Amino acid sequence: MNNTVAFIGLGAAACITAPAFAQDTHTSLTKQSVACMQEITAAMDKVTDEPGAAAAVETVKKVHEKLVDLGKRQLELPGATPQEQAQIAAQMVEIQKVSGELVKSLARLKKENLLTPDLQKALMNLQSVQTELAQASKAKAAQAEPFP
C-alpha cells in the first residue's frame, strides 16, 4: 500500500507538471490533471470483478498518456504568475481530496483481491510520467540558447 501512496503522490505531481497550445495555462493544465486523477479514481470505484479490473487497466493506460501530454505542454509554458500560483495552490485541496478517495478505492480493491497484477503494473507505470517529463525537460534545456 505504501507504493500505492507513493504512486498517488507522484501521479499528483505529474498531473501538475504538464506541447503548449494557445489556450494552455498553468491553471488550465492543473485542472486537466485533476480531471485525470478523478478519471482514475472513478475507474477504480467501478471495479467489482476481474473484467472490471481489466477495464480499469485500459483507463489507467489512457490516463498515463494524457498525463505525459499535459506534462510536456506544461514544460512549454513560461513560469507561473503569482495569480496562477495561487489558483494552483487552491486546486491542491482538490488533488488531496481525490488522492484520498483513490487510496480508499485501492484499499478496497486490495481487500477484495481485485487489485490484479496487471492493474498494479499499470498504476506503477504512472510513476514513469515523472521520469519521462524529466527527460523531456533535460532535452528542452539542452536545446535552449545559452545566456550571453
Side-chain angles (χ1 to χ4, degrees):
M1 199 62 180
N2 287 339
N3 286 338
T4 302
V5 173
F7 143 72
I8 292 166
L10 292 173
C15 286
I16 294 170
T17 62
F21 303 116
Q23 70 275 14
D24 281 344
T25 65
H26 292 282
T27 305
S28 70
L29 294 175
T30 300
K31 287 179 182 178
Q32 291 175 52
S33 299
V34 171
C36 286
M37 293 293 290
Q38 291 169 331
E39 188 175 349
I40 292 171
T41 301
M44 297 305 116
D45 286 345
K46 292 178 185 176
V47 176
T48 58
D49 54 19
E50 290 207 21
V57 168
E58 294 308 311
T59 299
V60 171
K61 287 178 180 180
K62 288 176 188 173
V63 170
H64 176 270
E65 294 304 316
K66 288 180 191 178
L67 291 173
V68 170
D69 178 60
L70 288 171
K72 288 178 180 177
R73 288 163 49 197
Q74 183 81 25
L75 290 172
E76 296 298 321
L77 294 175
T81 66
Q83 180 182 9
E84 287 177 315
Q85 290 173 2
Q87 292 168 339
I88 291 167
Q91 291 181 359
M92 290 304 293
V93 172
E94 181 66 18
I95 289 172
Q96 291 173 348
K97 177 184 168 200
V98 173
S99 294
E101 292 168 1
L102 183 55
V103 168
K104 289 177 186 175
S105 291
L106 293 172
R108 177 188 63 83
L109 293 177
K110 185 173 183 176
K111 182 179 179 181
E112 296 175 5
N113 292 320
L114 292 171
L115 196 56
T116 65
D118 287 342
L119 184 52
Q120 288 179 20
K121 182 179 177 184
L123 291 168
M124 293 305 293
N125 283 342
L126 281 177
Q127 290 183 355
S128 72
V129 170
Q130 282 190 326
T131 302
E132 292 175 53
L133 294 178
Q135 290 170 346
S137 179
K138 286 179 186 177
K140 181 180 175 184
Q143 295 172 359
E145 294 287 324
F147 288 110

